[in-house]
Amino acid sequence: MTDSQPILQLKNIVKRFGEFTAVDGIDLDISEGEFFTIVGPSGSGKTTIIRLLVGLDRPSAGEILLNGACINDLPANRRPTCMVFQSLALFPHKTVGGNIEFPLKIAGAPAQRRRERAVELMELLRLPVDYYDKHVLQCSGGEQQRIALARALAFDPAILFFDEPLSALDYRLRKTLEKELKDIHRETGKTFVYITHSLEEAMVMSDRIGIMRDGRMVQVGTPHAIYNRPRDKFVAQFMGEVNTLQVSKIDERHVRARSSGDQFEVAAALDGFEQGFLIIRPEVVKIGSSAETLANRVSGTLFNDYSLGSRLQYQVRSSNDGYHWLVEKLQDEAYEGALDEEVVIGWRPEDSILVAE
């Protein structure tokens, strides 16, 4: 990612469909060479945004600027951008090479140059060169994903847009292609704008993430910043499993849980905060003897445990209000207690996250 002037700018973008407002006043700058991911639940407006950016729809209000020039009225086929759809939209009657070369053929490139460029892209995307004459329907789902991306890159677009291209793949292949997409982004230096409902995809691949809700961009930042400094309860919970308690301010360093009456310490002064939510990530919570000396502690019983591959998750039922706390540990840090055993959990004041209602 560079510090140059944004390649793409959205200025107060609104899109209405009759009485329904799908996108409501979006302001956003995307830098050249950035991997920017728009993430949100179904109906949040993220697909509408991508349709506006590629020219399939026109904004009801606001401006879309590409390198400083307004492109609101520029049709999709005249924009220096390309879209990789969820359906891939490959030509079933063409070979692998024929699919990749198609944008170059439309542009009038000579046959030899088309073939050379297709082979370059196949090598970049780890497609065997001898697949050039292979029928595209004989390729696996993962291979078809690579072919679709190679075809998009053949056009040499300024920006590549992706509309949930990995959502139909199985978990293992999806994780492989997430890393490959990030590698390809780094190798090509292209600007990628990616749409997904998957938190994992966004966290793995992105330079920055924009979280959408009800047609608005509620927070934009790096994966680390959004995860550790969510702006509100929606963002905190959307970014992963969390412990969430409704709390009120006691003084500048302490809050009280409304359900249990427990008092907890926070690290930063509570200027302007009166009530809201205390967010505690499961991975920062200690359990057993390691929790007993911490400033914030809760007593309860070990209700259940779950294996999550490299991690273990514990569910602890609070003695005061029955709230089920989540605790996560790596496998080599496993807690050896038995179910229904009395246990103490705790966390440091600096691991407390406070967000508004």
Side-chain angles (χ1 to χ4, degrees), residues 10 13 23 26 38 45-53 212:
L10 284 69
I13 290 296
V23 173
I26 298 288
I38 300 173
K46 58 187 186 296
T47 297
T48 301
I49 281 285
I50 210 81
R51 288 180 61 85
L52 294 171
L53 293 176
M212 288 197 70

Side-chain angles (χ1 to χ4, degrees), residues 124-126 180 182-190:
L124 174 65
L125 291 162
R126 302 179 181 88
E180 288 190 6
K182 188 167 185 176
D183 291 345
I184 291 163
H185 171 256
R186 182 172 175 83
E187 289 173 2
T188 63
K190 296 290 185 183

Side-chain angles (χ1 to χ4, degrees), residues 47-68:
T47 297
T48 301
I49 281 285
I50 210 81
R51 288 180 61 85
L52 294 171
L53 293 176
V54 299
L56 297 177
D57 287 322
R58 189 182 186 281
S60 304
E63 286 188 319
I64 300 173
L65 305 179
L66 181 63
N67 289 319

Side-chain angles (χ1 to χ4, degrees), residues 3 10 20 24 49 53 61 72 92 133 160 162 167 169 183 187 197 216 226 238 283 285 309 324 340 350:
D3 294 326
L10 284 69
F20 176 67
D24 190 8
I49 281 285
L53 293 176
N72 285 23
D133 292 315
L160 272 79
F162 299 84
S167 61
L169 302 178
D183 291 345
E187 289 173 2
H197 65 275
R216 294 180 176 271
I226 288 179
F238 188 78
E283 65 269 21
V285 182
H324 283 207
D340 298 321
E350 53 265 41

Side-chain angles (χ1 to χ4, degrees), residues 152-214:
L153 287 167
F155 179 66
D156 196 25
I159 304 175
L160 272 79
F161 296 103
F162 299 84
D163 185 11
E164 305 203 49
L166 307 184
S167 61
L169 302 178
D170 64 67
Y171 179 82
R172 185 171 182 179
L173 179 56
R174 190 165 69 246
K175 299 308 291 182
T176 298
L177 290 178
E178 284 173 11
K179 293 179 180 177
E180 288 190 6
L181 267 177
K182 188 167 185 176
D183 291 345
I184 291 163
H185 171 256
R186 182 172 175 83
E187 289 173 2
T188 63
K190 296 290 185 183
T191 304
F192 283 15
V193 180
Y194 195 95
I195 297 290
T196 182
H197 65 275
S198 169
L199 164 69
E200 285 187 288
E201 283 184 25
M203 295 291 283
V204 168
M205 296 189 293
S206 314
D207 295 318
R208 286 191 304 152
I209 297 171
I211 307 257
M212 288 197 70
R213 182 187 189 189
D214 298 331

